[in-house]
Coordinates of all heavy atoms in Angstrom, one line a residue:
G1 N 109.5 157.4 73.2 CA 109.8 157.2 71.9 C 111.0 156.2 71.6 O 111.2 155.9 70.4
K2 N 111.6 155.7 72.6 CA 112.7 154.8 72.5 C 112.3 153.4 72.7 O 111.2 153.1 73.2 CB 113.9 155.1 73.5 CG 114.5 156.5 73.3 CD 115.2 156.6 72.0 CE 115.9 158.0 71.9 NZ 116.7 158.1 70.6
Q3 N 113.1 152.4 72.2 CA 112.8 151.0 72.4 C 113.2 150.6 73.8 O 114.3 150.4 74.1 CB 113.6 150.2 71.4 CG 113.3 148.7 71.4 CD 111.8 148.3 71.4 OE1 111.2 148.2 72.4 NE2 111.3 148.3 70.2
R4 N 112.2 150.6 74.7 CA 112.4 150.3 76.1 C 112.0 148.9 76.5 O 112.3 148.5 77.6 CB 111.6 151.3 76.9 CG 112.0 152.8 76.6 CD 111.2 153.8 77.5 NE 109.7 153.8 77.2 CZ 108.8 153.2 77.9 NH1 109.1 152.6 79.0 NH2 107.5 153.2 77.5
R5 N 111.4 148.2 75.6 CA 110.9 146.8 76.0 C 112.0 145.8 75.6 O 112.6 145.8 74.6 CB 109.7 146.5 75.2 CG 109.1 145.1 75.5 CD 108.0 144.8 74.5 NE 107.3 143.6 74.8 CZ 106.4 143.0 74.0 NH1 106.0 143.5 72.9 NH2 105.8 141.8 74.4
I6 N 112.2 144.9 76.6 CA 113.2 143.7 76.4 C 112.4 142.5 76.6 O 111.9 142.2 77.7 CB 114.3 143.8 77.4 CG1 115.1 145.1 77.2 CG2 115.3 142.6 77.1 CD1 116.2 145.3 78.2
L7 N 112.2 141.7 75.5 CA 111.3 140.5 75.5 C 111.9 139.5 76.5 O 113.1 139.3 76.7 CB 111.2 139.9 74.1 CG 110.6 140.8 73.1 CD1 110.7 140.1 71.7 CD2 109.2 141.1 73.4
N8 N 110.9 138.7 77.1 CA 111.3 137.6 78.0 C 111.7 136.4 77.2 O 111.6 136.4 76.0 CB 110.2 137.3 79.0 CG 109.0 136.7 78.4 OD1 109.0 135.5 78.0 ND2 107.9 137.4 78.2
L9 N 112.2 135.4 77.9 CA 112.9 134.3 77.2 C 111.9 133.1 76.9 O 112.3 132.2 76.1 CB 114.0 133.7 78.1 CG 115.2 134.6 78.4 CD1 116.0 134.1 79.6 CD2 116.0 134.8 77.1
T10 N 110.7 133.1 77.4 CA 109.9 131.9 77.2 C 108.5 132.3 76.8 O 108.0 133.4 76.9 CB 109.7 131.2 78.6 OG1 109.0 132.0 79.5 CG2 111.1 130.8 79.1
D11 N 107.8 131.3 76.3 CA 106.3 131.4 76.0 C 105.6 130.4 76.9 O 106.1 129.4 77.4 CB 106.0 131.1 74.5 CG 106.6 132.1 73.6 OD1 106.5 133.3 73.9 OD2 107.2 131.7 72.6
N12 N 104.3 130.7 77.1 CA 103.4 129.7 77.8 C 103.8 129.5 79.2 O 103.5 128.4 79.8 CB 103.3 128.4 77.0 CG 102.9 128.6 75.6 OD1 101.9 129.3 75.3 ND2 103.5 127.9 74.7
S13 N 104.4 130.5 79.9 CA 104.8 130.3 81.3 C 103.6 130.8 82.2 O 103.6 130.4 83.4 CB 106.0 131.1 81.6 OG 105.9 132.5 81.3
E14 N 102.7 131.5 81.7 CA 101.5 131.9 82.5 C 100.4 130.9 82.5 O 100.3 130.0 81.6 CB 101.0 133.2 81.9 CG 101.9 134.4 81.9 CD 101.5 135.5 81.1 OE1 100.3 136.0 81.4 OE2 102.2 136.0 80.2
K15 N 99.6 130.9 83.5 CA 98.4 130.0 83.6 C 97.3 130.6 82.9 O 97.2 131.8 82.6 CB 98.1 129.8 85.1 CG 99.2 129.0 85.8 CD 98.8 128.8 87.3 CE 100.0 128.0 88.0 NZ 99.6 127.7 89.4
P16 N 96.2 129.8 82.6 CA 95.1 130.4 81.9 C 94.4 131.5 82.6 O 94.5 131.6 83.9 CB 94.1 129.1 81.8 CG 95.0 128.0 81.9 CD 96.2 128.4 82.8
L17 N 93.8 132.4 81.9 CA 93.1 133.6 82.4 C 92.2 133.2 83.6 O 91.4 132.3 83.5 CB 92.3 134.3 81.3 CG 91.7 135.6 81.7 CD1 92.8 136.7 82.0 CD2 90.8 136.1 80.6
G18 N 92.3 134.0 84.7 CA 91.5 133.7 85.8 C 92.2 132.9 86.9 O 91.8 132.9 88.1
Q19 N 93.3 132.2 86.6 CA 94.0 131.4 87.5 C 95.1 132.3 88.1 O 95.6 133.3 87.5 CB 94.6 130.1 86.9 CG 93.5 129.2 86.5 CD 94.1 127.8 86.0 OE1 95.2 127.5 86.3 NE2 93.4 127.1 85.2
W20 N 95.6 131.9 89.3 CA 96.7 132.6 90.0 C 98.0 132.3 89.4 O 98.4 131.1 89.2 CB 96.7 132.3 91.5 CG 95.4 132.8 92.2 CD1 94.3 132.1 92.5 CD2 95.2 134.2 92.6 NE1 93.4 133.0 93.1 CE2 94.0 134.2 93.2 CE3 96.0 135.3 92.5 CZ2 93.4 135.4 93.8 CZ3 95.5 136.5 93.1 CH2 94.2 136.5 93.7
N21 N 98.8 133.4 89.2 CA 100.2 133.3 88.7 C 101.1 133.7 89.9 O 100.7 134.5 90.7 CB 100.4 134.2 87.5 CG 99.7 133.7 86.3 OD1 100.1 132.7 85.6 ND2 98.6 134.4 85.9
T22 N 102.3 133.1 89.9 CA 103.3 133.5 90.8 C 104.5 134.1 90.1 O 105.1 133.4 89.2 CB 103.8 132.3 91.7 OG1 102.6 131.8 92.5 CG2 104.8 132.8 92.7
V23 N 104.8 135.3 90.4 CA 106.0 135.9 89.8 C 107.0 136.2 90.9 O 106.6 136.7 92.0 CB 105.7 137.2 89.0 CG1 105.1 138.3 89.9 CG2 107.0 137.7 88.3
I24 N 108.3 135.8 90.7 CA 109.3 136.1 91.7 C 110.4 137.0 91.0 O 110.8 136.8 89.9 CB 110.0 134.8 92.1 CG1 109.0 134.0 93.0 CG2 111.3 135.2 93.0 CD1 109.6 132.7 93.4
I25 N 110.7 138.1 91.6 CA 111.6 139.1 91.1 C 112.8 139.2 92.1 O 112.6 139.6 93.3 CB 111.0 140.5 90.9 CG1 109.7 140.4 90.1 CG2 112.0 141.5 90.3 CD1 108.8 141.6 90.1
E26 N 113.9 138.8 91.6 CA 115.1 138.9 92.5 C 116.0 140.0 92.1 O 116.5 140.1 91.0 CB 115.9 137.6 92.4 CG 117.1 137.5 93.4 CD 117.8 136.2 93.3 OE1 117.4 135.2 93.9 OE2 118.8 136.1 92.6
C27 N 116.2 140.9 93.0 CA 117.1 142.1 92.8 C 118.3 141.9 93.7 O 118.2 142.0 94.9 CB 116.4 143.4 93.1 SG 114.9 143.7 92.1
K28 N 119.5 141.7 93.1 CA 120.7 141.5 93.9 C 121.8 142.3 93.2 O 122.2 142.1 92.1 CB 121.1 140.1 93.9 CG 122.2 139.7 94.9 CD 122.4 138.2 95.0 CE 123.5 137.9 96.1 NZ 123.6 136.4 96.2
G29 N 122.3 143.4 93.9 CA 123.3 144.3 93.3 C 122.7 144.9 92.1 O 121.6 145.5 92.2
N30 N 123.3 144.8 91.0 CA 122.9 145.4 89.7 C 122.3 144.4 88.8 O 122.2 144.6 87.5 CB 124.0 146.2 89.0 CG 124.4 147.4 89.8 OD1 125.4 147.4 90.5 ND2 123.6 148.4 89.8
T31 N 121.8 143.2 89.3 CA 121.2 142.2 88.5 C 119.7 142.1 88.9 O 119.3 142.3 90.1 CB 121.9 140.8 88.6 OG1 121.7 140.3 90.0 CG2 123.3 140.9 88.4
I32 N 118.9 141.7 88.0 CA 117.5 141.4 88.2 C 117.1 140.1 87.5 O 117.4 140.0 86.3 CB 116.6 142.5 87.7 CG1 116.9 143.8 88.4 CG2 115.1 142.2 88.0 CD1 116.1 145.0 87.9
K33 N 116.5 139.2 88.2 CA 116.0 137.9 87.6 C 114.5 137.9 87.8 O 114.0 138.3 88.9 CB 116.7 136.7 88.2 CG 118.2 136.6 88.0 CD 118.7 135.4 88.6 CE 120.2 135.3 88.5 NZ 120.8 134.1 89.1
I34 N 113.8 137.3 86.9 CA 112.3 137.1 87.0 C 111.9 135.7 86.7 O 112.4 135.1 85.7 CB 111.6 138.1 86.0 CG1 112.0 139.5 86.2 CG2 110.1 137.9 86.2 CD1 111.4 140.4 85.2

């Protein structure tokens, strides 16, 4: 019931449906980058 979603910073970073996307998630200490 809480607001748990945090919007990302960009639009149109994904490829068209059916194409391969690459996501990189970096976890270092208490930081996370995507």
Side-chain angles (χ1 to χ4, degrees):
K2 297 294 185 178
Q3 182 52 267
R4 300 181 294 105
R5 181 188 185 190
I6 302 175
L7 297 175
N8 71 76
L9 295 166
T10 66
D11 292 319
N12 303 316
S13 55
E14 297 169 56
K15 295 182 180 179
L17 185 67
Q19 295 187 21
W20 291 100
N21 293 284
T22 299
V23 61
I24 294 175
I25 307 166
E26 182 181 279
C27 300
K28 190 173 184 180
N30 295 102
T31 67
I32 301 176
K33 296 180 182 179
I34 304 174

